[in-house]
Amino acid sequence: MNAAIRAVVRQADALGHETWGIRHGYQGLLDKDWAPMPTRACANILQRGGTVLHTARCPEFLLPNRRAEAAENLRAEGIQGLVVIGGDGSFRAAEALQREHGVPCAGIPGTIDNDLPGTERTLGFDTALNTAVEAIDRIRDTASSHGRLFLVEVMGRSSGMLAVHTALACGAEAVLYPESPDDSYETLVARLYANWLRGKRSSIVVVAEGDGLGSAVAVGDRLRRDHGLDLRVVVLGHIQRGGSPSALDRIWGSRWGAEAVRRLDAGESGFYLGEVAGALALLPLAQVLDPHPSPPGDLSELVGILSR
Ligand SMILES: Nc1ncnc2c1ncn2[C@@H]1O[C@H](COP(=O)(O)OP(=O)(O)O)[C@@H](O)[C@H]1O
Ligand SMILES: O=P(O)(O)OC[C@H]1O[C@](O)(COP(=O)(O)O)[C@@H](O)[C@@H]1O
């Protein structure tokens, strides 16, 4: 996200605009928690994880009267356009601000869940994916040395994108995720047993945090109880959400940040940016109301086929 912030500030400066940084997300709009952000304020942030502007959940923003206040605050301060970096909640808020109050908004996709409609990439996903894969590679050493089953929980409250991509990239034996069409306990047991019969003595199952069967701990307890397995559970948790961003996340953050400003400067608004087939994509903000994309079915199928 810091790559996008830096690009917004510096592209705006190059076009002769002043940028103000709003701290703590929408809460900052309500509290007027903002300040001018000169280009030098962005020194050395490109490689830093998190966001230098901080973030916060702001439930009050769901109330129309609070959004009206935020729009008024922006108008009174003379802020002419808003670049929002976030996931579908942040974009829903931006869509409402623009539709209800005419605040010109531009969205830059930022969520490790990679679950926004119309874009194949969101900032943070590539970094989180690589972090999870690196962690599981390490776990694999113990799994294979001790001949053990590991259940590794990755983030994804309502999305299996991170889980499925992680599973494929680390050669997991199975993946459980919320949108899966055949996510049953029986299918999992049958898969692990078939691998056992093939001579496989260690397995890794990637579990998305929001999977319908329950957490990795719950699934692990059930397997232990039913089959007496000496398995281990690892919850990767917030380790996936931090750290220095990958090169791809930095590059797309930079491209999207600059593009958002160029388009606002040209009088465009009510859009968010994305990536489709390697190219920068432009989407209407209202598209965020579409159903969120599911992990490609062929990828999760491949996890099973390749782990024989
Ligand atoms: N439907 C909505 N209408 C207005 N504001 C919303 C809506 N959904 C979320 N928001 C605002 O956007 C913020 C970020 O949304 P959230 O779902 O927490 O994160 P994300 O942007 O990562 O999906 C919320 O804290 C809230 O202030
Ligand atoms: O427990 P927290 O800090 O709210 O974060 C966990 C949740 O945030 C997510 O990582 C998504 O976060 P972002 O959209 O901010 O990247 C979900 O996958 C996860 O359920």
Side-chain angles (χ1 to χ4, degrees), residues 29-30 60-76 93 96-97 100-101 103:
L29 281 190
L30 296 175
E60 285 171 73
F61 222 76
L62 273 78
L63 306 172
N65 61 323
R66 297 298 270 155
R67 292 198 293 273
E69 272 176 51
E72 185 43 42
N73 287 347
L74 284 167
R75 209 164 287 128
L97 263 185
E100 295 167 349
H101 305 288
V103 176

Side-chain angles (χ1 to χ4, degrees), residues 26 56-59 61-62 67 86-93 96 110-111:
Y26 290 111
R57 308 256 188 245
C58 176
F61 222 76
L62 273 78
R67 292 198 293 273
D88 77 306
S90 303
F91 284 9
R92 280 168 193 264
T111 164

Side-chain angles (χ1 to χ4, degrees), residues 57 110-113 155-157 209 238 241:
R57 308 256 188 245
T111 164
I112 64 162
D113 288 343
M155 276 187 164
R157 199 165 19 208
E209 164 192 15
H238 289 79
R241 232 175 172 213

Side-chain angles (χ1 to χ4, degrees), residues 152-174:
V152 184
E153 184 174 297
V154 299
M155 276 187 164
R157 199 165 19 208
S158 56
S159 168
M161 284 289 191
L162 193 55
V164 169
H165 286 82
T166 299
L168 188 58
C170 68
E173 277 61 37

Side-chain angles (χ1 to χ4, degrees), residues 1-15 17 19 83 85 106-108 123 250-266 271 273 280:
M1 285 190 176
N2 289 323
I5 293 169
R6 171 178 175 268
V8 165
V9 169
R10 292 188 173 173
Q11 178 65 81
D13 187 68
L15 290 168
H17 299 290
T19 306
V83 180
I85 310 171
I108 295 178
L123 295 180
R250 297 183 199 190
I251 289 166
W252 279 96
S254 301
R255 290 184 69 182
W256 284 334
E259 182 74 10
V261 169
R262 284 195 292 259
R263 287 186 180 272
L264 285 172
D265 177 62
F271 63 84
L273 300 171
L280 195 148

